Structures are given as C-alpha cells and as structure tokens.
Amino acid sequence: MNHDDAVPELDELAVAVYREILKDGRYDDEDCAKAQDVPVEQVRGASALLESLKVIEPVAGREGEWRAVHPELAAGNAIATMETHSRRLAARAERLRAQIRLLTPVYTHGRHPDEGPAVETVIDPDTVHELIASEAEKCTEEVLSLQPGGGRPVPRLAQAQARDLALLRRGVRLRSVYQHASRYDLPTAGYVDTLSAIGGEFRTVEELPDRMLVFDRRTCFLPIRPTADDRPEDDPIPPGGQAAAVIRQPSVVAFLVGMFSIIWDQAQPFEPSTPQPEHISEQVKLAILRIMATGAKDEVVARRLGFSVRTCRRHISDLMQSLGADSRFQAGVVAQSLGLVNSRTEP
C-alpha cells in the first residue's frame, strides 16, 4: 500500500483509552497502562493514534486533560479535505477523458486499413456508441443487424431510429432480424413501421445467437459478455455486455455476414402495419414446446425466445391446456407423440 494511502487502524487498547477519556475527561498514561496491563509506551501510542484520528483533543490550558469528540464530527473534520480533493480529481479526470475522446473520430477515419488490430476490444460503453456513430456516418452501402430479445428499450429505439433514418435517406440499405417476440412490443413495432415506410427491411426468427451490427460488410460490432465463472479478477471488461469487440478482419467479417444471410433467408417478414400472421403464433408455440422438451426452465425458455418470464409462463400454461397435459413433462410427451417436437435433447 502506498504510504500516503495508509489509514490508522483502531485496536482494543485505543478503544479502551477513548472510553476512559469519554468517561472522566482525563486520564493518566501510567494508571491506564496498569489498568490495561500493558507498557506505558503502548498507552501513549494509543492516545497519539486517537489524536491523529481527531476523536480526542487536548483541553486548552489544562495539561493532561482531553476531550472526547463525537466520531461523526471527527470523521467529517478528518475527511473534508480528502473529499474536496477527490471531487476536484474526479472533475479533472472527466475533462481529460472528454479531451482524449475528441480524437476517436480522427483515429477511426484516419487509420490505414492495414494498421492496428483486426479485433479491437472497447471497454467504455460511451466509446462504443461513439464508434458506432462514426461507422454509421461513413457507411455508404449497407447495414446488417441482429437484435435478440423481445422489445427494445424506448431510449435505445429513439437513438437507433434517428441514426437509421439518416442512413436510409442517404440510400443505405438497412436489414435487421429480430425475434418473433418483438412483434408484440408496440414501441418496437412502431420503430419498424416507421423505417419500413422508407425502405428499411425487417424479419423475425425464433432464436438469435446474440446482438450484431455490421457496416458496409467492413466493420462488425459484437458484444462481449464475460461470465462470473470465467472472468479473471483483474479483467477490466465490465459485466453485462457493456464492452464490445470491433472486428475489421475481412475473412471474419465475411463469415459473420454469411451467418447473417442464412438467418435472413430463414426469417419471416416483419410488417407491423398488417395483421399479425397466424403462423407466427404457431411458430412461437412450437419453439416453446421444442425448448421445453429439453428440460429447460421457464427462465431459459423466456430468455431464448425474447419473452418476459411472465409472458412465457402464460404461453406454457396455454400450451399445456391445449395438449390436455397436467405437467410440463406430460406436455413434452404428448408433443413428441404428435410429432410436434423430436425426442432428441439438446446438449
């Protein structure tokens, strides 16, 4: 530990001395040493420690007498300067971060294609957003995206809509794949309806591997989602998907674009302005049955299909009722006997 960062630590003797001063308003080093059965030097060290913590102070003009200070008041006096310095340091750090970030667009636009890492890890979420905005400004041909989960949060939709409208108006082709569950989310359906009117293309599937964003088949953004089990203690990447991998290696980007094309070809058109097609509801039901047949819990089924757990449980209850099943196990058996799902369990 840095010497400047060291904090005095109370011990039993210091607490005993503080209690004695609090009770009598004065104490004698030698008497206290006898009472505590310790050398007098230790008692003097304890009183010096208490004085450094500002929880005792000498009584002016009365040698040998001390006054106990309320710990809360002492703490305020002791750390007031530190807190002021900390606030100033935090403000300076934020100003410094803002100044350095001014170079992000310069770095992104000016870097030679053959320079720098093919895969770049960006930890700070604000920097990720700035890089995405920069790539969107440079984009001239096509944007591809995978959007797993159900409805997207309204603030993200608003941010995405402003960016995507600008892209479409510049003649950039926009193709996005959502999950079937997003069809039943009004804000997401409204976003899709607005962008579809000026050329945006949207489809849905049962499941998606994760979020992905590709600009001009040149730069791809993927989330980094470390788990608590495999994340080293000194790993700077925060949990919860805040970090991103920015991929510019042509063969890797080409592979991811190929994966997108396969998903796109298997997806169903997402057209919010028309009545929801009946077969989508049936596909969702079959997907729930298929995942249930693997023994997955409700939370897993909900997460994989992009529903809330409550909505997922309602669908499961309806399915059990329609199959005449009293349990999830029985529902799986009936579904298999009807050929709705196969008997193979997923790994």
Side-chain angles (χ1 to χ4, degrees):
M1 178 184 292
N2 187 296
H3 179 72
D4 293 338
D5 296 333
V7 175
E9 296 185 6
L10 290 168
D11 54 22
E12 292 183 4
L13 180 59
V15 174
V17 171
Y18 181 78
R19 185 180 292 113
E20 186 72 18
I21 294 172
L22 185 64
K23 181 176 66 175
D24 296 335
R26 61 179 296 144
Y27 87 113
D28 181 88
D29 291 341
E30 294 184 357
D31 289 343
C32 187
K34 292 178 182 178
Q36 299 297 323
D37 193 24
V38 295
V40 67
E41 290 79 8
Q42 291 188 20
V43 172
R44 290 170 181 160
S47 61
L49 170 63
L50 293 171
E51 188 175 11
S52 71
L53 292 174
K54 302 185 184 301
V55 293
I56 64 172
E57 57 186 18
V59 177
R62 302 173 67 175
E63 185 177 356
E65 293 191 22
W66 298 83
R67 183 175 69 88
V69 180
H70 193 289
E72 290 296 333
L73 178 61
N77 293 334
I79 67 176
T81 302
M82 296 171 60
E83 288 181 333
T84 300
H85 178 69
S86 176
R87 287 192 293 270
R88 290 175 179 171
L89 190 62
R92 182 169 177 264
E94 189 57 36
R95 290 196 300 271
L96 181 60
R97 181 193 298 271
Q99 288 297 312
I100 294 174
R101 281 179 178 168
L102 292 175
L103 293 175
T104 298
V106 178
Y107 172 85
T108 303
H109 285 279
R111 192 182 62 169
H112 191 278
D114 296 330
E115 296 178 352
V119 179
E120 180 182 3
T121 298
V122 183
I123 298 174
D124 181 65
D126 291 335
T127 302
V128 173
H129 295 320
E130 290 169 5
L131 287 174
I132 290 175
S134 176
E135 290 295 330
E137 289 177 4
K138 293 188 299 180
C139 186
T140 59
E141 297 180 6
E142 183 180 47
V143 176
L144 310 174
S145 70
L146 300 179
Q147 300 290 347
R152 297 172 67 185
V154 173
R156 290 187 184 179
L157 278 175
Q159 185 180 37
Q161 180 166 306
R163 180 193 68 216
D164 296 342
L165 282 172
L167 286 164
L168 289 167
R169 287 165 180 161
R170 295 205 315 263
V172 176
R173 186 184 185 188
L174 176 67
R175 290 192 290 164
S176 298
V177 182
Y178 285 73
Q179 288 185 255
H180 291 329
S182 64
R183 292 174 175 266
Y184 310 105
D185 180 72
L186 290 179
T188 301
Y191 158 83
V192 171
D193 201 15
T194 299
L195 268 67
S196 296
I198 59 172
E201 301 172 61
F202 300 87
R203 296 185 180 184
T204 63
V205 292
E206 297 170 3
E207 296 185 66
L208 287 172
D210 210 330
R211 199 171 308 280
M212 184 176 77
L213 187 59
V214 183
F215 293 96
D216 282 343
R217 306 195 175 203
R218 173 179 44 81
T219 304
C220 177
F221 291 82
L222 294 177
I224 296 177
R225 306 186 189 280
T227 62
D229 294 334
D230 61 8
R231 183 167 174 252
E233 292 182 359
D234 59 348
D235 189 349
I237 298 174
Q242 297 298 314
V246 185
I247 302 170
R248 299 184 178 88
Q249 212 287 328
S251 60
V252 177
V253 175
F255 172 83
L256 294 170
V257 170
M259 182 185 72
F260 175 90
S261 297
I262 293 173
I263 295 173
W264 178 262
D265 290 342
Q266 296 175 348
Q268 300 292 328
F270 188 175
E271 299 173 349
S273 58
T274 60
Q276 299 301 322
E278 182 63 26
H279 66 271
I280 291 295
S281 178
E282 292 301 319
Q283 286 181 334
V284 171
K285 292 177 182 178
L286 291 176
I288 292 174
L289 283 172
R290 176 174 54 80
I291 301 175
M292 280 179 57
T294 69
K297 295 182 179 179
D298 295 351
E299 291 79 6
V300 175
V301 178
R303 184 175 66 250
R304 288 178 57 174
L305 296 180
F307 287 108
S308 68
V309 176
R310 176 182 297 181
T311 299
C312 186
R313 285 174 176 160
R314 186 174 66 250
H315 286 311
I316 291 174
S317 177
D318 292 342
L319 283 169
M320 291 174 57
Q321 184 176 0
S322 65
L323 293 171
D326 297 324
S327 67
R328 283 163 171 73
F329 176 78
Q330 186 180 5
V333 172
V334 173
Q336 288 178 11
S337 68
L338 295 175
L340 300 177
V341 297
N342 59 40
S343 59
R344 176 179 64 87
T345 58
E346 296 183 4

